[in-house]
Amino acid sequence: MKEQYYVALDIGSSSVKIVVGEKFHDGVNIIGTGQTFTDGVSKGMIRDFDLAKSGIIDTVKKAELIANIDIDEVFLKVPITNSNIIFETETLRFSGRDTEIDGELIEELLENIRFKEISEDQEIVTVFPVSFIVDDLHEVEDPKGIIARESLTVNAGIIAVDRTLFLNMGNCAAEAGLNIIDVTSDAYNYTHILTESEIELGSVVMDIGADLTQYAYYKDGALRYTGIIPAGGNTITQVIANEFNTDFHYANRAKEQYGHAFYDRAPEGERVVFPQNSKDEDLEISAKDLSDVIEVTLEDMFMEIFEDLARAGINDISGGFVVTGGTANMRGVRDLLLDIVSEKVRIHIPTQMGARKPEFSSAIATIESGIRFDELLDYVTIDNHESDYDEAEETIEEEKQSIFPSLFKERKEQNKNRDVAEVEEYYIEPSDETHEDDSYIENEEIIETSHEKDESPKEKEKSDFGGFMKKVFKNLFE
């Protein structure tokens, strides 16, 4: 059977990144990456549609070259910007019938929550289970295979994002020729860079990008709070440029080559030369002087995060702080944060070959989210004994009842179709015909249904989205 690849699309604060991975034992094996810096994106949002589209296309080509596969389906991750987190409880009743819990029942529970309307301005992008309760008796993490007679309840978290941000990112990806299999929020994805003890005890993830710093707090096994500050590595670079009267380019090069975030441990003997904007003579400073500026700027960013956490009543961070993102590459970041807080601090750098850079942490975590949901909902199970006709009839009925075609169901159907194609490829038997080259495939016909007739006039106005994306964003125009 062919390998199943997971492709994450990360529209970041200054660049577009693609990471291609596959499930490997209990982790992820990275087989390809791509990154393109572009002015088309800023702070995790589309700034210039055409530039962002070109950036996505270029990044896909780079990743395809390294991974040696064709990329047309991706998992889109969305930033924490303008996110809202709430928790909901949903229950399925079985009326005393012995019912074995499977992926479809879990899917139905999560779907019921996904259909709920949060607000006119926000769209639910991630529904993640915190725990399941079987027959109101015992709490489990994964109930598949358990027999229930009365009920299955899920305590789930909901992450909703700004509709406009979501729509623009998805539309841009679609225009670049990509089909979105599912969408997850960074707020949920960050759980995959934490250990179980960090999630339980109370930890804060800080993802310091170029123009945006995202942070999220986890406690008792689940996401509890998120926030952003509109500052990042470029903020530090701009302060250096202003302080030493030099161009942004020279300031950024000096930061990357000589920068140290903790003054006390900055090297003594290193010298840094800055070409000046207003005079011919270059300015020469010590690495200590450069470190002083970096430390003050980064400390201000940390303090802004701490103040927001305090306002939210978050004071138990026994699990410590985890710092990632491109700026985490700078020397001294951990030392500075340790000097400010009394909790544990670690820098998260992915361990996968080919992606050992903190700027890839979020994209890799997106892949891990995709694998997590595929395992939970049994999306990759092959079953050739079900009636395709009955299944098609059931799908039609479900679509009539829903205005938002489920990304879960899209993924399940795509995986099933992929699996059936692979079965056809490998289970070819010789026919009774006399021609040696003839063969036949013994498989049931797959019935496809079209739902174009259900589109509203407003949806038709947006028909340039095309294909899957038109269905994904269908309810945005209701």
Side-chain angles (χ1 to χ4, degrees):
M1 185 173 295
K2 297 177 182 178
E3 297 290 343
Q4 181 176 0
Y5 298 112
Y6 293 79
V7 182
L9 172 60
D10 178 357
I11 300 176
S13 61
S14 67
S15 69
V16 176
K17 291 182 281 292
I18 289 278
V19 174
V20 184
E22 59 186 350
K23 180 174 171 55
F24 183 74
H25 297 307
D26 292 329
V28 176
N29 180 40
I30 301 303
I31 65 171
T33 63
Q35 183 174 14
T36 302
F37 289 91
T38 173
D39 292 332
V41 298
S42 176
K43 300 178 180 178
M45 295 182 285
I46 304 298
R47 179 179 177 181
D48 184 302
F49 190 90
D50 290 334
L51 287 178
K53 174 184 170 182
S54 297
I56 294 174
I57 294 173
D58 290 344
T59 307
V60 169
K61 290 179 180 178
K62 293 175 183 177
E64 287 180 331
L65 185 62
I66 296 175
N68 195 29
I69 66 169
D70 294 329
I71 296 174
D72 56 7
E73 296 179 342
V74 297
F75 289 80
L76 174 66
K77 68 136 213 152
V78 294
I80 294 176
T81 308
N82 295 331
S83 292
N84 184 28
I85 306 169
I86 62 175
F87 291 87
E88 288 278 352
T89 298
E90 186 71 22
T91 300
L92 290 179
R93 302 290 179 184
F94 304 127
S95 303
R97 290 179 287 106
D98 287 345
T99 305
E100 181 177 346
I101 308 301
D102 58 15
E104 291 188 3
L105 290 176
I106 297 173
E107 175 187 344
E108 182 178 348
L109 269 177
L110 299 181
E111 282 292 278
N112 291 341
I113 296 176
R114 187 186 283 267
F115 286 149
K116 295 183 178 181
E117 178 116 0
I118 300 299
S119 73
E120 294 182 356
D121 300 326
Q122 289 196 312
E123 184 64 46
I124 295 176
V125 294
T126 305
V127 178
F128 59 94
V130 176
S131 63
F132 294 90
I133 301 175
V134 180
D135 285 348
D136 295 326
L137 296 176
H138 53 283
E139 187 174 295
V140 297
E141 182 177 338
D142 186 347
K144 289 198 302 296
I146 296 177
I147 302 297
R149 287 183 56 82
E150 299 300 331
S151 65
L152 174 65
T153 299
V154 64
N155 298 315
I158 298 173
I159 303 175
V161 301
D162 182 85
R163 281 178 182 258
T164 303
L165 180 150
F166 176 47
L167 176 61
N168 288 335
M169 293 180 70
N171 190 22
C172 192
E175 289 292 322
L178 299 176
N179 295 319
I180 295 180
I181 299 177
D182 204 351
V183 184
T184 55
S185 167
D186 274 333
Y188 174 76
N189 296 333
Y190 289 148
T191 58
H192 300 294
I193 73 174
L194 296 174
T195 65
E196 290 184 7
S197 61
E198 286 171 339
I199 297 176
E200 288 295 331
L201 293 174
S203 298
V204 174
V205 174
M206 299 180 183
D207 185 351
I208 311 176
D211 296 317
L212 184 73
T213 296
Q214 303 185 129
Y215 51 97
Y217 174 67
Y218 304 83
K219 183 77 164 59
D220 296 330
L223 171 69
R224 301 300 175 185
Y225 183 76
T226 64
I228 64 165
I229 59 171
N234 285 343
T235 306
I236 299 173
T237 302
Q238 190 60 59
V239 172
I240 295 172
N242 295 339
E243 182 71 20
F244 299 112
N245 191 33
T246 192
D247 184 75
F248 184 92
H249 168 73
Y250 296 119
N252 194 61
R253 186 172 64 182
K255 181 189 72 175
E256 292 178 351
Q257 293 181 353
Y258 304 100
H260 201 291
F262 192 51
Y263 178 85
D264 292 348
R265 295 191 179 179
E268 296 281 354
E270 290 183 352
R271 307 294 294 178
V272 185
V273 176
F274 286 117
Q276 297 293 280
N277 288 329
S278 57
K279 56 184 178 181
D280 295 333
E281 185 178 351
D282 293 343
L283 173 67
E284 182 176 316
I285 65 170
S286 70
K288 281 281 192 182
D289 293 333
L290 177 62
S291 176
D292 191 25
V293 174
I294 294 174
E295 180 183 282
V296 170
T297 308
L298 188 56
E299 184 175 345
D300 286 345
M301 291 166 55
F302 284 146
M303 294 307 298
E304 187 173 349
I305 295 172
F306 299 153
E307 290 170 3
D308 181 56
L309 293 174
R311 286 193 296 268
I314 297 171
N315 51 28
D316 182 4
I317 310 179
S318 302
F321 293 85
V322 179
V323 183
T324 194
T327 303
N329 283 309
M330 188 189 304
R331 294 177 296 173
V333 172
R334 179 176 180 272
D335 298 320
L336 174 60
L337 190 53
L338 275 172
D339 190 61
I340 301 173
V341 301
S342 58
E343 305 295 345
K344 298 184 293 292
V345 175
R346 71 176 176 91
I347 304 297
H348 178 79
I349 300 176
T351 58
Q352 291 86 352
M353 289 289 292
R356 292 180 176 175
K357 298 179 181 179
E359 52 263 43
F360 286 118
S361 294
S362 179
I364 294 174
T366 302
I367 291 176
E368 292 179 306
S369 291
I371 293 174
R372 156 68 175 155
F373 280 109
D374 275 1
E375 291 176 337
L376 180 66
L377 304 179
D378 283 338
Y379 282 168
V380 294
T381 301
I382 302 175
D383 188 352
N384 292 319
H385 301 289
E386 293 182 1
S387 167
D388 289 330
Y389 176 82
D390 292 341
E391 187 174 327
E393 290 284 343
E394 183 179 70
T395 301
I396 294 172
E397 186 64 29
E398 289 175 354
E399 291 293 343
K400 290 178 180 178
Q401 298 173 6
S402 167
I403 64 170
F404 186 76
S406 163
L407 290 173
F408 288 165
K409 287 184 171 58
E410 292 288 346
R411 286 172 56 188
K412 189 172 184 178
E413 286 302 315
Q414 290 178 14
N415 279 320
K416 181 177 293 185
N417 291 339
R418 183 190 299 114
D419 291 337
V420 169
E422 290 166 356
V423 170
E424 291 175 345
E425 178 180 350
Y426 283 90
Y427 289 88
I428 299 177
E429 301 178 5
S431 70
D432 294 329
E433 300 292 331
T434 58
H435 301 287
E436 294 181 358
D437 294 337
D438 289 344
S439 62
Y440 75 96
I441 300 174
E442 191 170 9
N443 203 348
E444 298 180 358
E445 180 184 1
I446 304 300
I447 299 177
E448 297 181 356
T449 58
S450 172
H451 305 290
E452 293 181 359
K453 62 182 180 180
D454 294 331
E455 293 180 0
S456 67
K458 290 186 178 180
E459 288 165 352
K460 294 182 183 298
E461 294 174 5
K462 300 292 183 177
S463 60
D464 58 325
F465 285 18
F468 174 68
M469 284 306 302
K470 181 167 65 176
K471 293 194 291 181
V472 171
F473 300 113
K474 188 176 179 181
N475 73 321
L476 301 183
F477 303 100
E478 294 293 337

